[in-house]
Amino acid sequence: MSEWFAQFAGFDLDQRYSLPFSSWYGLGCPTLPETPCLSYPTPTSARIQKPDLDLTLDPFDAVCGNVHYPPNGQSDYDVDNPTVVQSSCADFGRHSGPSGADALSAVSSDQWMSRYGTLAGDCDGPFLVWWWQNMPGYRSLKTFDDGRPMKSVWPFLYY
């Protein structure tokens, strides 16, 4: 699981984008600022604006996000954010995009709220159901770039 999870959950931002932190957890933004220090000016870009760092990442692939930061999250637990971003989450490990990359598709809170809002309406529930369903699972056919199958997350949780 550790082999694919860092990329899936955005814990490799330092490697993919040469940032001084590995995930948005290390961004150090104030909680619920008037103006978020993380934003998405376009569906393919992420903007970081704070006193010690001001840059735009374009192109930016949010992949699947993590428990605190959905792919379009501007702050912790921003699961209701309607901002649309491009994400490879739905195709993670399937390589159906250009040159064998994971294909990008539009993602916003509508992906999880419309499908899972009534099923798991508490806190982050709708987002987490969506998030877990995009992880490699039994017979998901998700593979690493070299063709090896990604192991399902479920045995790691129950054994």
Side-chain angles (χ1 to χ4, degrees), residues 41-123:
T42 69
T44 61
S45 67
R47 176 87 194 265
I48 302 166
Q49 274 185 295
K50 54 187 226 158
D52 61 337
L53 187 60
D54 187 350
L55 67 102
T56 299
L57 306 171
D58 193 358
F60 178 74
D61 175 7
V63 192
C64 296
N66 55 57
V67 172
H68 284 227
Y69 284 88
N72 65 340
Q74 294 179 319
S75 60
D76 283 330
Y77 306 111
D78 189 16
V79 298
D80 296 321
N81 190 330
T83 301
V84 175
V85 298
Q86 290 293 307
S87 163
S88 62
C89 190
D91 197 57
F92 182 77
R94 293 202 172 118
H95 316 290
S96 62
S99 302
D102 295 334
L104 297 171
S105 60
V107 172
S108 73
S109 60
D110 186 54
Q111 307 313 112
W112 43 88
M113 295 308 285
S114 65
R115 293 180 70 190
Y116 309 114
T118 57
L119 171 70
D122 64 325
C123 304

Side-chain angles (χ1 to χ4, degrees), residues 1 7 12 17 19 23-24 26 36 38 47 58 60 69 76 81-82 91 105 112 118 122 130-131 137 147 150 156:
M1 182 175 156
Q7 180 184 357
D12 64 347
Y17 299 104
L19 294 175
S23 73
W24 294 139
L38 175 61
R47 176 87 194 265
D58 193 358
F60 178 74
Y69 284 88
D76 283 330
N81 190 330
D91 197 57
S105 60
W112 43 88
T118 57
D122 64 325
W130 177 87
W131 190 64
M150 291 181 178
F156 294 98

